[in-house]
Each structure stands twice: as structure tokens, then as C-alpha cells.
Amino acid sequence: GENVEQHPSTLSVQEGDSAVIKCTYSDSASNYFPWYKQELGKGPQLIIDIRSNVGEKKDQRIAVTLNKTAKHFSLHITETQPEDSAVYFCAPGRGSTLGRLYFGRGTQLTVWP
Amino acid sequence: DAGVIQSPRHEVTEMGQEVTLRCKPISGHNSLFWYRQTMMRGLELLIYFNNNVPIDDSGMPEDRFSAKMPNASFSTLKIQPSEPRDSAVYFCASSPRGWSRGGSSYEQYFGPGTRLTVT
């Protein structure tokens, strides 16, 4: 299976600052790299994903970068806002009709106003 | 679309009782996943189905746990007998999986979860 590690486990930033969360994985066959956000009392929700043939993807204030050689990918959030406070999970896997995702342990992000 | 529907939202039961959790996936999705979330173990995949067929149940903790998907619009996760260590939030997720307009989609859509407390 896949061995997934996320760092840091907790992250506190001031509103307006940037936040970066890193995810390392072990399965070189993984080709799909999503990030999920979980707000209190809710299920995780996809916020951005990237495939192995792309090095970076941006969507407004969030971006994901991939280093497939080193087997890690990162979530970048710029101009953080209090509503960004949540738990963030990386979940690498093989994008296929029968594959599964391997969720990391999560990063608790707190944005202070 | 109403999204993934789970019931009940909260369940409190006594040790030894049978517990049945229910899930209705998003219409048209062909994959369904059951997860368990605790502080100690994080988000664990218990079992997943593709086209109503179980693909991998290696995450099911023990024989007390069983899951079924009798049709494309309904799945159950049963614990019999329940134990205090089963207390957790159980999530169901569905995914369209495979190619669709705009490219492939492997996004998993999570339900609101069932908070199970076994006393």
C-alpha cells in the first residue's frame, strides 16, 4: 500500500499570510494528488487536485505543486482568511476506476484575524 | 442533487447491540466508500465498492463489521456486536470515477457522517 505523511500536523498563521502544507508518499505508481478540506462537523471536501503529468495547478488563492521525482506535493494557500481554518488532508492514489485514495493524518490550520 | 445522504446522523447504543448505518450515494456515481474517523487513527478506509461489487475490504477491522450494497442507490455498514472502541464518525463517500466531460474524475463526495457512540 501507500505510506503517506503530512507536515506539519498543526499550523497557525496570521490573516493575510501564506500557508504551506507538504505531503510525502511512497508509491511511485501514484498519479493522482488531491487535497481535501474538512470543516468542523462536516465530511472532507475536495479543494484542488493535480495529475502526474502536471507540475503545478492554481485556483484563485490555492495552488498545488508536485515533485514526482522526490515523491511529494504541497498545498499553498495565499492571503489566508479566517474561513480557511479547517483540517486539510492530502490523499494520493492511482487514478483508475478500481483504485483508492490514501488519506494522510491531516493538518489543522488556524488563521488568526 | 442532495449529495450523499447518511442516516442516522447520531447513534448512541449499548455495548453488544447491533448497529446499522445507511448511505445513499449520489445518483450516477459508480463507486462507494466507507470510512471511519477517530482522533487516534485518523481517516481509515474500511471498504469500497465499484458497480455494487466489493473491491477491497481489507480495512474492515474484524468480523463484527460487514457491508453490503444491494443496488446502486443504497449501502449499509453493520456492526454486530458493537463495542465501545467502535465509537467514531463513520463517513460514506461516492465517486463518479472514470472519464467524463472535461476529463477524468476521481473526486470523492463525502456525506455528513454518522457519529456513533457505544457505551
Side-chain angles (χ1 to χ4, degrees), chain B residues 54-68:
Chain B
I55 302 300
D56 185 352
D57 65 354
S58 60
M60 297 286 260
E62 45 197 279
D63 292 345
R64 298 184 297 106
F65 286 69
S66 62
K68 293 182 179 179

Side-chain angles (χ1 to χ4, degrees), chain A residues 65-84:
Chain A
T65 58
L66 172 65
N67 184 328
K68 206 156 191 291
T69 303
K71 288 190 246 179
H72 66 73
F73 61 112
S74 297
L75 175 69
H76 305 256
I77 306 175
T78 60
E79 301 174 26
T80 53
Q81 301 168 3
E83 51 264 39
D84 294 330

Side-chain angles (χ1 to χ4, degrees), chain B residues 80-99:
Chain B
Q80 167 62 22
S82 58
E83 297 182 3
R85 59 193 168 122
D86 302 331
S87 298
V89 180
Y90 290 80
F91 288 103
C92 174
S94 69
S95 175
R97 297 246 270 201
W99 292 93

